[in-house]
Amino acid sequence: MRPKEKEISLDLVKKQKTGVIHPFCFLDQAYIFDSSTHSLFLIDQTSLKQDGSLNLPEEDIQEYIQEGYFQSGLISAQPDKRCFKALCFMMTKQCNFHCAYCFEGPKKSLHQVLSTETAIEALRWIGDLSPERRQIEADFFGGEPLLVFDQVKEIIEQSDALSKETGKKYLFSLTTNASLLTPERLAFLNHHNISLIVSMDGNQTTHDHFRQYANQAGTFSDVWPAIQRLLQTRDGGYYIRGTYTHQTLSFAEQVMWMYEQGIKKISFEPVVSSHPEIGIQTEDLPFLKQEYEKLAEWTVRQKKRDPAFSFYHFELDLENGVCADKLMTSCGAGVEYLSLSPDGQVYPCHQFDDMPDYCLGNVHEKKMDTKKVEIFRKVTHLTNKTACADCWAKYLCGGGCIANNLIMKGSLEKPYAIACEIQKMRLEAALYVQGQLRST
Amino acid sequence: MKKLTLLIKGTITEQKANQNCRECQTPCKSACKTSCTIGNQTCDQKKKKSRWIW
């Protein structure tokens, strides 16, 4: 090896070790992801050796280095200017389903309902705390928010008047199990442009495995007619969101089944559970990798025929993504996002609800515990995530979900390794999909 | 034949010019809820206008 070649080769090894570049093979293709610019390169398969090291001609690499690719340190730490943007309305903690994998678990104040006054007060307060922001988003969540549809309706209607008063735009979504989504309710939600996240796990056998009533009867037969109505009345503004578990790992075939039924917007995610028979285990990872490979290959074919199809986690936006400062941050818990409980208490996100140690304030008192908010500002920023420092995926993942860290590792800061592995295999699949859609 | 071909040109560097307008969505508010990623987020200034959140 000539001296110059040796120098470049060593430099690439260093960049690979520090996560600046990520060479990987996915199905029959080899790629390099340049995390410093969010660019994707196709490489000749012979250039990626078995041990993961690269063997590329000097002139090919030099050309791109001169154009600014493969450089470390492009994203630098800027002052953190994040502000509150969104609320999760914990409308009620009651649910008509009794799904064994639900992260909500038993809650206090089960019979309280979030009042319209409290919700409107919170929208106004968040707007006051973030005067520079034009729009505030809120998700009706629970429990099952359609159990208290009258309140949901009232909040949506009253937000129009609030919007006129504050000049802010309020955008709503609703997360539901769909069993109570009557034609009249759907018509109201359609009329008011309320985006929907509908929880559903796939065909009847898979769905009914966990999504059951308290008497263990399956819920599919009550959910499916509502989803069919939804598909007949809108072509966007929804995601059917499935959960896969240790017992129901074959999510790729469920996505394909959903698409065959006419569902075009699909999201599937790993369960959050410390129960060994429900939560994803290390031994499940090779199977999950195959599932993402299968789904990625199928997604490329479908998207070429039907661009309206979307598998949420493959929709990486490398060309129109958020700015560099935002890429330094992970979930918005406690900094951009707050969960509002019926008693007016605010928590960093819906997964922290009812955890007194993490209560950040109260909407009625208009008080925010700034010390606690600072803790969340710190743990959701990449500059403080030492475990992520050399990871190639950090600017795509943002450092993961801190609620998962707490549930699975007992600490906001400790990354949950299984989630990291799933995240990385899912991101490689997403990069493959995006690369394939552009290469042909 | 070149062994290295650029497929997708990321735009991180260009985005520095108009960074931090703060109008983009927070990942927790995405259609995902428990394993969201920052890579799925779109810059609000480049987002297609829609009556829906996503």
Side-chain angles (χ1 to χ4, degrees):
Chain A
M1 197 182 277
R2 287 174 294 165
K4 183 86 186 238
E5 254 181 64
K6 194 176 176 189
E7 196 181 298
I8 288 173
S9 171
L10 285 172
D11 193 42
L12 285 180
V13 170
K14 194 179 161 200
K15 285 180 195 297
Q16 204 171 331
K17 277 187 179 162
T18 52
V20 176
I21 60 166
H22 175 58
F24 66 100
C25 248
F26 195 92
L27 292 168
D28 54 347
Q29 301 285 355
Y31 299 95
I32 296 178
F33 175 63
D34 174 20
S35 75
S36 66
T37 62
H38 269 193
S39 299
L40 185 68
F41 293 83
L42 182 68
I43 54 171
D44 184 291
Q45 265 199 326
T46 57
S47 307
L48 185 56
K49 293 194 246 170
Q50 284 278 323
D51 62 1
S53 63
L54 285 163
N55 178 26
L56 284 163
E58 182 194 331
E59 57 273 21
D60 285 14
I61 302 166
Q62 277 298 359
E63 182 191 328
Y64 287 115
I65 287 177
Q66 279 163 16
E67 287 177 25
Y69 296 95
F70 311 140
Q71 307 289 317
S72 50
L74 276 182
I75 299 184
S76 57
Q78 300 291 325
D80 184 356
K81 294 181 185 168
R82 285 177 291 168
C83 62
F84 293 111
K85 299 177 171 182
L87 284 161
C88 175
F89 288 155
M90 195 60 74
M91 294 304 299
T92 171
K93 293 170 191 182
Q94 290 193 72
C95 185
N96 56 335
F97 284 15
H98 200 81
C99 311
Y101 62 29
C102 184
F103 63 74
E104 290 289 353
K107 294 277 185 185
K108 291 186 289 179
S109 59
L110 196 63
H111 299 286
Q112 283 186 23
V113 173
L114 182 68
S115 71
T116 305
E117 294 71 28
T118 304
I120 295 291
E121 203 177 350
L123 286 174
R124 191 192 301 275
W125 185 37
I126 294 306
D128 290 345
L129 290 172
S130 304
E132 64 278 57
R133 197 168 152 83
R134 286 180 285 117
Q135 54 196 30
I136 303 290
E137 294 180 354
D139 185 49
F140 296 100
F141 197 71
E144 172 49 49
L146 293 183
L147 282 170
V148 291
F149 184 69
D150 287 347
Q151 271 80 14
V152 169
K153 203 173 158 190
E154 223 173 71
I155 294 165
I156 292 167
E157 285 167 344
Q158 291 200 17
S159 73
D160 285 343
L162 184 68
S163 184
K164 282 182 188 126
E165 183 195 320
T166 60
K168 303 239 185 232
K169 192 173 172 187
Y170 301 102
L171 300 169
F172 295 102
S173 58
L174 184 141
T175 301
T176 178
N177 62 34
S179 64
L180 305 170
L181 191 59
T182 60
E184 297 73 28
R185 290 172 174 183
L186 180 60
F188 176 87
L189 297 169
N190 286 346
H191 178 72
H192 289 272
N193 302 329
I194 310 302
S195 302
L196 289 169
I197 301 174
V198 179
S199 303
M200 191 218 184
D201 288 352
N203 61 26
Q204 182 152 18
T205 310
T206 307
H207 178 89
D208 285 347
H209 189 86
F210 278 109
R211 301 194 67 76
Q212 299 173 348
Y213 290 110
N215 66 2
Q216 296 189 320
T219 58
F220 182 89
S221 55
D222 291 331
V223 166
W224 188 234
I227 292 179
Q228 286 177 307
R229 272 196 298 277
L230 169 71
L231 299 175
Q232 284 158 12
T233 57
R234 51 167 95 179
D235 55 7
Y238 74 88
Y239 264 94
I240 305 299
R241 184 205 177 280
T243 298
Y244 63 78
T245 71
H246 175 64
Q247 293 174 33
T248 51
L249 289 170
S250 306
F251 68 90
E253 66 185 70
Q254 300 310 320
V255 174
M256 295 172 200
W257 178 86
M258 285 181 178
Y259 181 76
E260 280 168 19
Q261 313 310 309
I263 299 171
K264 304 257 178 133
K265 313 289 178 192
I266 303 167
S267 171
F268 248 92
E269 296 180 58
V271 70
V272 180
S273 174
S274 53
H275 194 297
E277 286 172 22
I278 297 176
I280 305 299
Q281 306 299 307
T282 307
E283 65 265 26
D284 297 332
L285 295 175
F287 186 85
L288 285 178
K289 186 168 167 54
Q290 285 172 17
E291 286 296 290
Y292 280 113
E293 284 174 352
K294 211 189 306 176
L295 187 59
E297 201 173 24
W298 181 85
T299 297
V300 171
R301 284 202 307 274
Q302 293 311 318
K303 278 195 87 83
K304 283 180 180 171
R305 289 195 307 121
D306 178 7
F309 169 68
S310 161
F311 180 70
Y312 179 75
H313 288 102
F314 289 169
E315 299 288 331
L316 277 188
D317 200 338
L318 301 177
E319 289 151 318
N320 300 299
V322 292
C323 56
D325 285 354
K326 183 67 187 272
L327 291 172
M328 292 295 290
T329 66
S330 60
C331 70
V335 186
E336 294 185 331
Y337 181 73
L338 293 170
S339 179
L340 176 68
S341 214
D343 56 7
Q345 307 276 59
V346 290
Y347 297 88
C349 86
H350 48 283
Q351 293 198 71
F352 287 96
D353 182 75
D354 255 1
M355 295 186 186
D357 289 350
Y358 295 100
C359 178
L360 299 181
N362 190 294
V363 69
H364 302 305
E365 295 160 10
K366 305 274 185 303
K367 260 192 197 164
M368 198 72 87
D369 186 331
T370 49
K371 279 188 187 160
K372 281 188 185 169
V373 171
E374 277 314 302
I375 291 171
F376 281 88
R377 193 175 282 281
K378 197 177 158 207
V379 296
T380 58
H381 203 279
L382 275 177
T383 46
N384 305 307
K385 289 181 182 259
T386 47
C388 304
D390 291 336
C391 177
W392 65 269
K394 60 181 181 285
Y395 300 132
L396 294 173
C397 145
C401 170
I402 54 168
N404 284 5
N405 293 351
L406 184 68
I407 293 163
M408 303 304 298
K409 303 296 291 180
S411 158
L412 297 171
E413 289 100 343
K414 276 187 197 160
Y416 169 41
I418 290 179
C420 289
E421 288 309 309
I422 294 174
Q423 185 73 275
K424 283 188 268 190
M425 66 173 75
R426 198 168 66 184
L427 286 169
E428 284 185 353
L431 289 166
Y432 166 83
V433 168
Q434 298 305 323
Q436 285 288 300
L437 290 174
R438 280 159 183 82
S439 60
T440 47
Chain B
M1 200 180 106
K2 279 177 78 169
K3 292 198 166 189
L4 179 69
T5 317
L6 178 64
L7 275 184
I8 303 175
K9 185 180 187 296
T11 50
I12 289 182
T13 42
E14 292 162 29
Q15 286 160 5
K16 285 192 166 182
N18 58 4
Q19 64 186 312
N20 232 335
C21 74
R22 304 184 212 184
E23 288 297 335
C24 58
Q25 189 179 58
T26 186
C28 278
K29 185 62 191 66
S30 68
C32 141
K33 286 288 179 200
T34 54
S35 67
C36 44
T37 59
I38 195 78
N40 293 67
Q41 303 297 309
T42 301
C43 170
D44 198 72
Q45 295 177 26
K46 295 178 183 175
K47 208 174 179 178
K48 279 188 201 157
K49 295 298 163 209
S50 161
R51 62 194 179 115
W52 309 113
I53 287 184
W54 325 286

